[in-house]
Amino acid sequence: MKSKKYLMGFLFVFSILFTTIVGTSNVLADTTSYSGAYNYDNTGNKQYRFITIVKSTQWTGNHYVSGQPTKGTYLKNGDMLYYSESGGPNYSLSVGVGYKIGSVSLGIPLGKISNGTFGIGVRATGKGYYKLALNKQVKPTIMLIQYRTKQNGKWSSWGEPSVYSKKYQTVRIKPALIKQ
């Protein structure tokens, strides 16, 4: 009887883990889509198309926002340090796209310290010198463009794609006060 209970328990845990792993892998996959072919000129002998690659979400890792003293800001327990998400230096996120392009670089702004109580505040949990760092989760979208031509009534193969545009959507931001 005990072995039956253990077996049932094992199967229950296994089914939960399997569902979680399979469900997670589907969510994290990159997606690639191709647009239809569009005429590039009035002759109808040149076409282009777009390849849109939506990457899985990626984290930038903790990076300090700009405008902070070298040794940090002294805060007491409960004090807040405020920041603005716009401005400051950019973190260069490298995104692999394939198609003989390799990777594309996206500039993610790290933000800057705000004066006074303007912006988003992060509360200190003890006294000491702190620096504010942000870890941003972004979802990159890269759009490539390809061309082809018609010769003797037949379309050529699509040429090598090139980067047409790149953008990202901020999914989540995790600010952190790091004790110096």
Side-chain angles (χ1 to χ4, degrees):
M1 189 69 163
K2 277 187 176 182
S3 63
K4 202 174 206 181
K5 284 183 181 179
Y6 287 122
L7 179 61
M8 294 303 287
F10 172 77
L11 290 174
F12 177 74
V13 171
F14 178 77
S15 67
I16 290 173
L17 288 174
F18 181 77
T19 304
T20 302
I21 291 167
V22 171
T24 302
S25 65
N26 288 339
V27 171
L28 296 178
D30 298 342
T31 59
T32 302
S33 60
Y34 297 83
S35 73
Y38 302 102
N39 285 332
Y40 185 70
D41 64 0
N42 291 335
T43 66
N45 291 325
K46 293 182 182 179
Q47 290 183 333
Y48 66 95
R49 73 174 177 180
F50 294 108
I51 303 170
T52 304
I53 303 164
V54 179
K55 301 294 288 180
S56 58
T57 58
Q58 299 180 30
W59 288 94
T60 62
N62 277 335
H63 296 282
Y64 292 123
V65 300
S66 68
Q68 300 185 77
T70 305
K71 67 177 190 174
T73 301
Y74 184 80
L75 300 172
K76 296 180 296 235
N77 188 25
D79 286 351
M80 295 184 79
L81 198 54
Y82 294 88
Y83 73 96
S84 169
E85 289 179 34
S86 61
N90 283 336
Y91 170 74
S92 182
L93 180 66
S94 183
V95 179
V97 294
Y99 292 95
K100 295 184 181 179
I101 291 173
S103 62
V104 173
S105 180
L106 292 171
I108 313 293
L110 295 174
K112 60 185 175 185
I113 293 294
S114 298
N115 295 331
T117 59
F118 172 75
I120 300 165
V122 182
R123 189 174 309 277
T125 57
K127 65 181 180 177
Y129 284 90
Y130 291 91
K131 278 191 170 180
L132 181 66
L134 296 182
N135 187 1
K136 291 187 175 185
Q137 184 183 36
V138 297
K139 188 171 191 72
T141 300
I142 311 301
M143 187 177 282
L144 309 176
I145 191 167
Q146 282 183 305
Y147 297 94
R148 71 179 179 177
T149 58
K150 187 188 277 186
Q151 296 173 349
N152 299 327
K154 295 176 83 178
W155 286 108
S156 66
S157 298
W158 288 103
E160 294 292 323
S162 59
V163 176
Y164 182 77
S165 69
K166 52 188 179 178
K167 63 183 180 178
Y168 67 91
Q169 173 190 0
T170 302
V171 177
R172 201 174 352 184
I173 300 173
K174 288 186 176 181
L177 287 176
I178 300 174
K179 201 161 193 178
Q180 301 300 296

